[in-house]
Amino acid sequence: MKYVVLIGDGMADYPLEELNNKTPLQVAEKPNMDEVAHKGVNGMLQTVPQGMEPGSDVANLAIMGYDPAQYYTGRGPLEAASMGVDLSENDVAFRCNFITEKEGILDDFNAGHITSTEASQLIHALNHSFGDIGTFHAGISYRHLFLYKHPQSSHLKTTPPHDIVGEKIEDYLISSESDGHASILNKLMQDSQNILLEQEVNKNRLAEGKKPANMIWLWGQGPKPQMETFQEKYGLNGATITGVDLIKGIGVYLGLNNISVPGATGYFDTDYKAKGKYAIDALPDHDVVFVHVEAPDEAGHAGDISEKIKGIEEIDSKILGPILDCLPDYNDFMLTLLPDHATPISVKTHTMDPVPYAVYGPGVKADAVEKYDEDSAEKGSLGLSKAHDLINKLLSGF
Ligand SMILES: [Zn+2]
């Protein structure tokens, strides 16, 4: 038996006036997704437990079969794992964004999608100046890591920068009742501005009319999580295919094989075809392949309707289509199609809404659903379920 779980990050949406009150999934040309819905069973999945933040980390952990309420300690530690940074007992791993600050406002949560090469030079400068406070590790694009050896700091209240674009920075600094670590880390974020602005990278970006990476933003912190591997928990070996660090980090803790795809950027320009090909190539050696595509989520954050529709169509034609062509080579298989969460264009951030999912395979008896979208899945035979039960349901054949 082969299982493919195809995750279109943030694909689900709300009806949009610009689309005649349809969602991007309802408007996109996606014959393969519709075939999966038509030939399979459909329903809604609650991917984010009540009371937790609807982050991709929480949602993907749930989809992979681990109840986030039990296993999730923060986004930082997952990204640390993906970067090969092992956390010691006292380490708290913070996600460190490069952001663009403008006149006290958080202007851009990703510093104009700064390149990894530029970013690594800035990380080097930060370590040189602030190495006595903690350690910075360079990741991909605007997404980096800061290790702080003070376990108490894992309880500080921090804010995801993509949720406060256009807001006053001073309103969202780290808050904590009588905790000295909050003021140390707030000062670090503010002091980073002086160091970053004087770097050649930023001078060049400004000269080229690009947004400077003129501040760091610390958030999503936590200690190393304790979890059993996917093999131990479910008796299956698996692989991930993703351009996003935190999904790879989940893969590391779960003992999954993180397959790197050249050209997988975690953005609009990701190489969809390569992802499809690598997923197919991974099938002979793995029981489960999780294929995660970030692009629709980025389009949701950007409020870009046409990029979101395009992202869905690219996933459909270049990833899902080729996978559906080759899956019948295996005696038995199940393909699951879903987003991890909604990233509606109208709110430009993740929401708690249950997401539409479809499961298709030779052993699955189809329900009456014809198309893959939010409304259709609600009418499916599976009803509403919790995402962390998905793997067990796949194993029991639905
Ligand atoms: Zn996501």
Side-chain angles (χ1 to χ4, degrees):
M1 179 65 118
K2 298 291 177 186
Y3 302 92
V4 174
V5 180
L6 176 55
I7 302 156
D9 201 304
M11 262 192 319
D13 212 302
Y14 298 150
L16 287 159
E17 246 173 60
E18 296 90 327
L19 301 177
N20 289 324
N21 290 317
K22 290 188 169 8
T23 67
L25 272 175
Q26 288 172 323
V27 168
E29 280 292 320
K30 46 170 192 20
N32 296 300
M33 291 188 188
D34 291 338
E35 186 188 334
V36 167
H38 174 59
K39 292 186 176 170
V41 284
N42 298 265
M44 303 299 286
L45 271 188
Q46 188 69 54
T47 54
V48 182
Q50 290 302 325
M52 295 189 81
E53 288 292 318
S56 291
D57 45 4
V58 168
N60 279 281
L61 187 60
I63 290 168
M64 290 174 174
Y66 292 72
D67 184 357
Q70 184 184 346
Y71 294 99
Y72 182 76
T73 64
R75 180 178 189 125
L78 299 177
E79 295 191 342
S82 81
M83 293 159 66
V85 176
D86 201 15
L87 303 183
S88 69
E89 211 182 302
N90 287 330
D91 275 325
V92 175
F94 286 74
R95 163 70 175 272
C96 173
N97 274 47
F98 279 127
I99 64 165
T100 304
E101 178 271 350
K102 199 174 173 185
E103 293 161 7
I105 302 289
L106 198 155
D107 181 50
D108 192 345
F109 73 92
N110 59 45
H113 278 279
I114 184 167
T115 67
S116 302
T117 313
E118 290 172 305
S120 78
Q121 292 172 37
L122 298 179
I123 290 290
H124 183 80
L126 291 172
N127 274 325
H128 186 75
S129 298
F130 304 113
D132 53 333
I133 302 173
T135 313
F136 293 89
H137 292 266
I140 295 172
S141 181
Y142 61 92
R143 308 186 286 265
H144 307 280
L145 190 71
F146 176 68
L147 295 193
Y148 191 57
K149 286 201 179 296
H150 299 279
Q152 318 90 292
S153 65
S154 66
H155 303 296
L156 294 172
K157 176 151 175 29
T158 56
T159 308
H162 51 258
D163 285 351
I164 53 167
V165 173
E167 303 281 341
K168 256 191 183 161
I169 280 177
E170 64 174 30
D171 292 345
Y172 292 94
L173 291 173
I174 302 169
S175 62
S176 167
E177 311 83 53
S178 69
D179 190 319
H181 293 295
S183 44
I184 292 170
L185 296 170
N186 283 330
K187 186 170 185 307
L188 174 63
M189 290 201 280
Q190 277 156 341
D191 288 350
S192 73
Q193 293 190 269
N194 303 328
I195 302 301
L196 291 172
L197 256 189
E198 66 192 26
Q199 301 306 312
E200 207 63 32
V201 165
N202 275 324
K203 288 178 184 164
N204 292 340
R205 287 183 69 81
L206 283 166
E208 291 162 15
K210 294 177 181 165
K211 289 184 176 179
N214 58 8
M215 188 174 177
I216 58 164
W217 193 262
L218 302 175
W219 61 288
Q221 79 279 11
K224 186 176 184 169
Q226 304 297 329
M227 40 190 156
E228 52 208 321
T229 66
F230 197 79
Q231 181 72 252
E232 287 163 350
K233 195 167 166 68
Y234 292 109
L236 302 174
N237 77 334
T240 68
I241 292 179
T242 177
V244 172
D245 284 351
L246 71 99
I247 314 284
K248 290 184 185 174
I250 296 174
V252 169
Y253 289 117
L254 268 49
L256 301 172
N257 184 13
N258 287 321
I259 296 171
S260 291
V261 179
T265 57
Y267 197 50
F268 300 154
D269 58 357
T270 198
D271 188 340
Y272 294 89
K273 247 190 184 145
K275 278 195 164 169
K277 182 185 177 307
Y278 275 72
I280 290 165
D281 291 349
L283 279 168
D285 296 329
H286 301 92
D287 304 312
V288 188
V289 180
F290 294 99
V291 188
H292 167 266
V293 191
E294 175 76 355
D297 178 65
E298 295 287 345
H301 285 299
D304 191 327
I305 299 175
S306 63
E307 279 294 348
K308 188 152 191 188
I309 293 170
K310 188 176 151 218
I312 292 165
E313 292 178 344
E314 297 271 74
I315 293 171
D316 187 83
S317 63
K318 295 183 178 161
I319 299 178
L320 181 55
I323 291 173
L324 288 178
D325 285 344
C326 86
L327 270 176
D329 295 350
Y330 300 91
N331 283 338
D332 214 357
F333 66 86
M334 270 199 232
L335 181 131
T336 307
L337 169 67
L338 75 171
D340 50 351
H341 52 75
T343 311
I345 295 278
S346 57
V347 295
K348 293 189 187 180
T349 189
H350 306 174
T351 65
M352 299 288 291
D353 301 280
V355 298
Y357 77 118
V359 180
Y360 157 65
V364 174
K365 199 171 172 301
D367 60 20
V369 171
E370 296 283 334
K371 302 243 171 209
Y372 178 71
D373 62 55
E374 300 84 350
D375 282 354
S376 304
E378 258 194 348
K379 302 180 187 97
S381 62
L382 298 175
L384 177 65
S385 319
K386 289 195 164 69
H388 67 257
D389 294 331
L390 173 67
I391 301 294
N392 272 328
K393 287 191 172 167
L394 287 170
L395 290 176
S396 65
F398 266 91

